[in-house]
Amino acid sequence: MLAVVCHGKEDLRVEEYPLVPLKNNEVRVQVSYGGICGSDLHYFSRGGVGDFMIREPMVLGHEISGVVLETGTDVKEIKSGMKAGLNPSKPCLKCNFCLNGQSNLCTNMFFLGSAGRFPHVQGGFSQELILRADQVIPVPEATSLLELSLAEPLSVGLHAVARAGSLLNKRVLVSGSGPIGLLTALSALHAGATEVIATDIHDYPLQIAKEKIGVQSVINVAKQAEALQEFISPEGYFDVILEASGSPSALPILFQCIKRGGRIVQIGMLPPGTTSIPVNLLQTREIKFIGAFRAHNEFALAVKLIVSKRMDASAILSGTYALSDARSAFLQAGNRQEVIKLHLNLGDIS
């Protein structure tokens, strides 16, 4: 089969990759669509994400959907031909975190397309993929597989909102309007926030946030650096801030905008050693500064919300590329002036 393999910085190849045998508790799927994530772009552009550096060729991709091809002998509820949401997380299901409902913090996690372990966990940008049965969520035949491939990034937004606590009638700022930021804003509105303001350094994602996601207002912090100043006061303004930009320069002013006793949820991955947290403000205003990492049961929730059309994540879709043209897709995917989320068509299935 063919797969999109990263060999290091700016070294991306579409090449043959071996098929592997199917175990009794596994499912073989034909991958239909794969969304290019920010982490995929980091692996491509610099050969790593945070401290995770590529040390061997690695198939990229984890935002995927597909069709079941074959099931192991122990798999009963999943049948060949079913469309399915494909969860990139494969936790051990045995450690204390898994048993306590925190599988995203699993100490022995295998996450598709991650160089966090060695040998690396190969990703989902391949024509076929084998997953453990619990990673495969069957959906109705009428489901759009392109939209279903947004379940993973939507689950990240849902998890971040869950970490924030109740947003009902709350004022919320979403810092950064990339794909995760936009879906986090969508999740905040779905959770009942009375006001959601989105920021970014580019106009195009802010246009999407305003016109398609439905936030109340937007701020281009590159052009309107002073705009956040109006929210700075001894009392603060926002009940919750969801930081999805991954920009070290964003944090200091956010701590001045949050209400006393408010909560800042860090979603974006920051470059190692670049963060300066205003500890005195954190202490004297009793600000809760917490992390949000991937998702737990929010993946299954995201699938349900997409299938039922209770949430429309399609606002972030920007186009698809053929598998053979993966390099062009990656080069274009970082164009924040015109693109939110590009996909690879890996299976030619609608």
Side-chain angles (χ1 to χ4, degrees):
M1 65 176 176
L2 294 176
V4 179
V5 184
C6 186
H7 288 254
K9 180 180 178 180
E10 297 182 355
D11 187 356
L12 190 74
R13 311 176 197 177
V14 177
E15 57 190 19
E16 290 188 354
Y17 203 79
L19 293 168
V20 296
L22 189 68
K23 296 178 182 178
N24 292 346
N25 66 338
E26 292 180 332
V27 176
R28 188 188 307 277
V29 298
Q30 177 176 313
V31 183
S32 299
Y33 291 99
I36 300 174
C37 176
S39 62
D40 297 318
L41 289 174
H42 281 295
Y43 281 126
F44 170 64
S45 63
R46 58 176 287 262
V49 175
D51 294 325
F52 301 160
M53 303 302 295
I54 288 182
R55 291 175 282 167
E56 64 176 351
M58 185 177 77
V59 179
L60 296 180
H62 59 269
E63 300 178 4
I64 54 175
S65 62
V67 176
V68 176
L69 293 176
E70 181 186 5
T71 61
T73 55
D74 293 342
V75 180
K76 305 302 182 185
E77 302 299 322
I78 302 172
K79 306 297 181 182
S80 176
M82 286 181 167
K83 290 183 175 181
L86 308 177
N87 190 340
S89 294
K90 183 183 175 183
C92 72
L93 305 179
K94 298 177 181 178
C95 70
N96 287 334
F97 296 104
C98 286
L99 296 176
N100 289 332
Q102 297 173 292
S103 65
N104 58 310
L105 302 181
C106 175
T107 54
N108 193 25
M109 171 69 76
F110 285 79
F111 190 86
L112 292 182
S114 173
R117 354 177 17 126
F118 190 84
H120 301 332
V121 184
Q122 301 301 318
F125 287 169
S126 58
Q127 291 177 308
E128 294 185 15
L129 180 67
I130 289 179
L131 297 171
R132 197 169 62 195
D134 61 289
Q135 295 176 266
V136 179
I137 302 179
V139 299
E141 176 62 27
T143 304
S144 163
L145 286 172
L146 178 58
E147 292 184 23
L148 189 61
S149 67
L150 297 173
E152 195 280 334
L154 177 58
S155 74
V156 174
L158 291 169
H159 181 67
V161 165
R163 293 284 287 157
S166 174
L167 295 189
L168 189 63
N169 298 323
K170 298 292 180 64
R171 292 171 171 170
V172 177
L173 176 70
V174 179
S175 173
S177 295
I180 295 298
L182 290 171
L183 293 181
T184 299
L186 182 66
S187 299
L189 290 165
H190 180 76
T194 190
E195 180 181 13
V196 178
I197 297 176
T199 72
D200 204 84
I201 59 174
H202 298 291
D203 287 332
Y204 179 64
L206 292 175
Q207 178 184 344
I208 299 297
K210 180 75 171 176
E211 297 178 1
K212 295 188 176 182
I213 298 297
V215 303
Q216 281 74 20
S217 59
V218 297
I219 299 171
N220 185 321
V221 291
K223 296 180 178 179
Q224 306 164 275
E226 73 291 344
L228 283 176
Q229 298 293 323
E230 67 177 277
F231 302 110
I232 296 176
S233 71
E235 295 80 20
Y237 183 83
F238 296 103
D239 300 288
V240 171
I241 295 178
L242 301 161
E243 205 303 292
S245 73
S247 171
S249 61
L251 278 175
I253 193 168
L254 298 184
F255 274 84
Q256 300 177 62
C257 296
I258 193 77
K259 281 184 177 180
R260 293 173 181 264
R263 182 169 297 198
I264 299 175
V265 181
Q266 185 65 41
I267 312 162
M269 295 288 285
L270 293 156
T274 60
T275 309
S276 178
I277 297 173
V279 176
N280 287 343
L281 278 178
L282 183 148
Q283 177 186 4
T284 59
R285 295 191 178 191
E286 292 196 351
I287 297 168
K288 303 172 186 69
F289 183 50
I290 63 173
F293 186 58
R294 295 177 180 161
H296 170 49
N297 55 12
E298 290 90 358
F299 183 85
L301 174 60
V303 169
K304 290 181 180 179
L305 291 170
I306 290 171
V307 168
S308 66
K309 301 188 181 300
R310 289 170 56 197
M311 289 184 73
D312 183 5
S314 65
I316 73 169
L317 294 174
S318 301
T320 61
Y321 281 70
L323 170 61
S324 60
D325 206 16
R327 183 176 178 84
S328 296
F330 269 72
L331 290 172
Q332 179 65 9
N335 179 2
R336 297 290 308 285
Q337 307 287 356
E338 301 177 3
V339 167
I340 302 296
K341 172 73 66 176
L342 290 180
H343 280 74
L344 298 178
N345 186 339
L346 299 154
D348 285 330
I349 295 177
S350 62

CSV table of all heavy atoms in Angstrom, one decimal, residues 164-172 192-196 238-240 259:
chain,number,residue,atom,x,y,z
A,164,ALA,N,-12.6,23.3,31.2
A,164,ALA,CA,-12.9,24.6,31.6
A,164,ALA,C,-14.0,24.7,32.6
A,164,ALA,O,-14.2,25.7,33.3
A,164,ALA,CB,-13.2,25.5,30.4
A,165,GLY,N,-14.8,23.6,32.8
A,165,GLY,CA,-15.9,23.6,33.6
A,165,GLY,C,-17.1,24.2,32.9
A,165,GLY,O,-17.1,24.4,31.7
A,166,SER,N,-18.2,24.4,33.6
A,166,SER,CA,-19.4,24.9,33.0
A,166,SER,C,-19.2,26.3,32.3
A,166,SER,O,-18.6,27.2,32.9
A,166,SER,CB,-20.5,25.1,34.0
A,166,SER,OG,-21.6,25.7,33.4
A,167,LEU,N,-19.6,26.4,31.1
A,167,LEU,CA,-19.5,27.7,30.3
A,167,LEU,C,-20.8,28.4,30.2
A,167,LEU,O,-20.9,29.4,29.5
A,167,LEU,CB,-18.9,27.4,29.0
A,167,LEU,CG,-17.4,26.9,28.9
A,167,LEU,CD1,-16.9,27.0,27.5
A,167,LEU,CD2,-16.5,27.8,29.8
A,168,LEU,N,-21.8,27.8,30.8
A,168,LEU,CA,-23.2,28.4,30.7
A,168,LEU,C,-23.2,29.8,31.1
A,168,LEU,O,-22.8,30.2,32.3
A,168,LEU,CB,-24.2,27.6,31.5
A,168,LEU,CG,-25.7,27.9,31.3
A,168,LEU,CD1,-26.1,27.6,29.8
A,168,LEU,CD2,-26.5,27.1,32.2
A,169,ASN,N,-23.6,30.7,30.2
A,169,ASN,CA,-23.7,32.2,30.5
A,169,ASN,C,-22.3,32.8,30.9
A,169,ASN,O,-22.3,33.8,31.5
A,169,ASN,CB,-24.7,32.5,31.6
A,169,ASN,CG,-26.1,32.0,31.2
A,169,ASN,OD1,-26.5,32.2,30.1
A,169,ASN,ND2,-26.8,31.5,32.2
A,170,LYS,N,-21.2,32.2,30.4
A,170,LYS,CA,-19.9,32.7,30.7
A,170,LYS,C,-19.4,33.5,29.5
A,170,LYS,O,-19.7,33.3,28.4
A,170,LYS,CB,-19.0,31.6,31.0
A,170,LYS,CG,-19.3,30.7,32.2
A,170,LYS,CD,-19.2,31.5,33.5
A,170,LYS,CE,-19.6,30.7,34.7
A,170,LYS,NZ,-18.7,29.5,35.0
A,171,ARG,N,-18.4,34.4,29.8
A,171,ARG,CA,-17.7,35.2,28.8
A,171,ARG,C,-16.4,34.4,28.5
A,171,ARG,O,-15.6,34.1,29.5
A,171,ARG,CB,-17.4,36.6,29.3
A,171,ARG,CG,-18.6,37.5,29.4
A,171,ARG,CD,-18.1,38.8,30.1
A,171,ARG,NE,-19.2,39.8,30.1
A,171,ARG,CZ,-19.1,40.9,30.8
A,171,ARG,NH1,-18.1,41.2,31.5
A,171,ARG,NH2,-20.1,41.8,30.7
A,172,VAL,N,-16.1,34.1,27.3
A,172,VAL,CA,-15.0,33.3,26.9
A,172,VAL,C,-14.2,33.9,25.8
A,172,VAL,O,-14.7,34.5,24.9
A,172,VAL,CB,-15.5,31.9,26.4
A,172,VAL,CG1,-14.3,31.0,25.9
A,172,VAL,CG2,-16.3,31.2,27.5
A,192,GLY,N,-22.9,26.7,25.8
A,192,GLY,CA,-23.8,27.7,26.4
A,192,GLY,C,-23.1,29.0,26.8
A,192,GLY,O,-23.7,29.8,27.5
A,193,ALA,N,-21.9,29.2,26.3
A,193,ALA,CA,-21.2,30.5,26.6
A,193,ALA,C,-22.0,31.6,26.0
A,193,ALA,O,-22.5,31.6,24.9
A,193,ALA,CB,-19.8,30.5,26.0
A,194,THR,N,-22.2,32.7,26.8
A,194,THR,CA,-23.0,33.8,26.3
A,194,THR,C,-22.3,34.8,25.4
A,194,THR,O,-22.9,35.5,24.6
A,194,THR,CB,-23.6,34.6,27.6
A,194,THR,OG1,-24.5,35.5,27.1
A,194,THR,CG2,-22.5,35.3,28.3
A,195,GLU,N,-20.9,34.8,25.5
A,195,GLU,CA,-20.1,35.6,24.7
A,195,GLU,C,-18.8,34.9,24.4
A,195,GLU,O,-18.1,34.5,25.3
A,195,GLU,CB,-19.8,37.0,25.3
A,195,GLU,CG,-19.0,37.9,24.5
A,195,GLU,CD,-18.6,39.2,25.2
A,195,GLU,OE1,-18.9,39.4,26.4
A,195,GLU,OE2,-18.1,40.1,24.5
A,196,VAL,N,-18.5,34.8,23.1
A,196,VAL,CA,-17.2,34.2,22.7
A,196,VAL,C,-16.5,35.1,21.8
A,196,VAL,O,-17.0,35.6,20.8
A,196,VAL,CB,-17.4,32.8,22.0
A,196,VAL,CG1,-16.0,32.3,21.6
A,196,VAL,CG2,-18.1,31.8,23.0
A,238,PHE,N,-13.0,38.2,31.3
A,238,PHE,CA,-13.4,36.9,30.9
A,238,PHE,C,-13.4,35.9,32.0
A,238,PHE,O,-12.6,35.9,32.9
A,238,PHE,CB,-12.4,36.3,29.8
A,238,PHE,CG,-12.4,37.2,28.5
A,238,PHE,CD1,-11.4,38.0,28.3
A,238,PHE,CD2,-13.4,37.1,27.6
A,238,PHE,CE1,-11.3,38.8,27.2
A,238,PHE,CE2,-13.4,37.9,26.5
A,238,PHE,CZ,-12.4,38.7,26.2
A,239,ASP,N,-14.5,35.1,32.0
A,239,ASP,CA,-14.6,34.0,33.0
A,239,ASP,C,-13.6,32.8,32.7
A,239,ASP,O,-13.0,32.2,33.6
A,239,ASP,CB,-16.0,33.4,33.0
A,239,ASP,CG,-17.0,34.5,33.4
A,239,ASP,OD1,-17.1,34.8,34.6
A,239,ASP,OD2,-17.8,34.9,32.5
A,240,VAL,N,-13.5,32.6,31.4
A,240,VAL,CA,-12.6,31.5,30.9
A,240,VAL,C,-11.9,32.0,29.7
A,240,VAL,O,-12.4,32.6,28.8
A,240,VAL,CB,-13.4,30.2,30.5
A,240,VAL,CG1,-12.6,29.2,29.8
A,240,VAL,CG2,-14.1,29.7,31.8
A,259,LYS,N,-10.8,37.1,34.8
A,259,LYS,CA,-11.4,37.5,36.0
A,259,LYS,C,-10.7,36.9,37.2
A,259,LYS,O,-10.0,35.8,37.1
A,259,LYS,CB,-12.9,37.1,36.1
A,259,LYS,CG,-13.8,38.0,35.4
A,259,LYS,CD,-15.3,37.5,35.6
A,259,LYS,CE,-16.3,38.4,34.9
A,259,LYS,NZ,-17.7,37.9,35.2
